[in-house]
Amino acid sequence: EAQVTQNPRYLITVTGKKLTVTCSQNMNHEYMSWYRQDPGLGLRQIYYSMNVEVTDKGDVPEGYKVSRKEKRNFPLILESPSPNQTSLYFCASSLSRGPEKLFFGSGTQLSVL
Amino acid sequence: AQSVTQPDIHITVSEGASLELRCNYSYGATPYLFWYVQSPGQGLQLLLKYFSGDTLVQGIKGFEAEFKRSQSSFNLRKPSVHWSDAAEYFCAVGSTSGTYKYIFGTGTRLKVLA
């Protein structure tokens, strides 16, 4: 089944403790991206990647890192999480560089205490 | 600056009634436009998209949307709402300028009364 898989689904952590949210797609998509969803703000793009080893900032990149060492994986790294990064995170992918239909993962609810 | 506005935060309709969700965009060129639906606890699913051509586009689940360049709008419609349509709906613009960005609206939450 074609899908975008995120893990974990829920994560509670404390300020400053490094964490990684994984994202994997099995559709051989070139484009992958990360979003955060906050009430009243909709989805905001954090980072995106057009292909292996090619990444760029979205609208809210501060406090986040990404890497694209393999085409299928696009992990989101929070080196030193802070409470304002408490949010619902989505990974998405599309076949080409876009704009194209985005396939979304099921989301990761992160709470930073 | 590019932006997407969904002026209605919440909408409540009765089952069987018609539905229109509003979306206005600000974009320098002809945009690529999308509507996505998010059911509770789920990721977003594409309902329909507009790239060019016929300004009335059909999507899944009986939804349609009309692109009106003069009004910078891309409103989503459904003639008869079902209880299963209760969800949050997002309008989005895809950049055509090579930056590969997507801009989402803040969403409209639809409630359906039985």
Side-chain angles (χ1 to χ4, degrees):
Chain A
E1 180 189 357
Q3 60 184 359
V4 177
T5 303
Q6 286 179 239
N7 281 298
R9 190 71 187 270
Y10 301 94
L11 180 58
I12 301 174
T13 189
V14 295
T15 299
K17 186 176 182 181
K18 180 179 179 179
L19 66 91
T20 299
V21 183
T22 64
C23 174
S24 180
Q25 49 90 8
N26 62 0
M27 297 169 280
N28 200 37
H29 283 173
E30 280 193 2
Y31 181 94
M32 297 186 75
S33 59
W34 276 103
Y35 300 84
R36 60 177 290 173
Q37 182 180 13
D38 302 290
L41 297 177
L43 278 81
R44 293 178 292 168
Q45 193 167 29
I46 303 171
Y47 269 96
Y48 62 94
S49 169
M50 294 177 285
N51 214 323
V52 175
E53 303 292 2
V54 181
T55 63
D56 207 349
K57 297 177 180 178
D59 294 318
V60 288
E62 295 77 21
Y64 304 94
K65 284 178 58 178
V66 293
S67 68
R68 188 94 180 271
K69 291 182 169 52
E70 303 168 284
K71 196 171 187 178
R72 63 182 292 124
N73 296 323
F74 190 46
L76 179 70
I77 303 159
L78 284 72
E79 295 264 356
S80 182
S82 62
N84 64 12
Q85 293 178 298
T86 293
S87 186
L88 178 58
Y89 291 86
F90 287 100
C91 179
S93 71
S94 67
L95 180 62
S96 66
R97 298 179 179 187
E100 274 285 353
K101 170 185 176 180
L102 289 169
F103 291 79
F104 282 84
S106 297
T108 296
Q109 180 65 58
L110 172 65
S111 296
V112 183
L113 306 177
Chain B
Q2 302 165 8
S3 65
V4 177
T5 301
Q6 293 180 248
D8 304 306
I9 299 173
H10 294 99
I11 283 186
T12 300
V13 299
S14 298
E15 191 170 20
S18 63
L19 172 70
E20 183 170 30
L21 303 182
R22 295 183 290 166
C23 173
N24 293 95
Y25 65 89
S26 173
Y27 192 75
T30 299
Y32 285 33
L33 295 160
F34 305 83
W35 274 100
Y36 286 87
V37 61
Q38 184 181 30
S39 298
Q42 301 295 317
L44 280 72
Q45 179 186 20
L46 181 71
L47 283 175
L48 47 80
K49 62 186 180 184
Y50 172 78
F51 288 175
S52 64
D54 192 344
T55 56
L56 183 64
V57 294
Q58 303 297 321
I60 62 171
K61 305 185 181 188
F63 285 92
E64 66 179 26
E66 187 171 12
F67 170 60
K68 292 186 178 180
R69 186 190 304 275
S70 61
Q71 299 177 19
S72 297
S73 69
F74 188 56
N75 294 348
L76 182 71
R77 302 193 293 247
K78 187 170 186 179
S80 178
V81 170
H82 188 262
W83 64 266
S84 61
D85 293 325
E88 190 156 22
Y89 293 79
F90 292 92
C91 181
V93 168
S95 169
T96 58
S97 64
T99 59
Y100 312 112
K101 287 187 176 182
Y102 294 82
I103 302 167
F104 284 81
T106 52
T108 297
R109 187 170 296 278
L110 174 65
K111 182 177 179 180
V112 180
L113 302 177

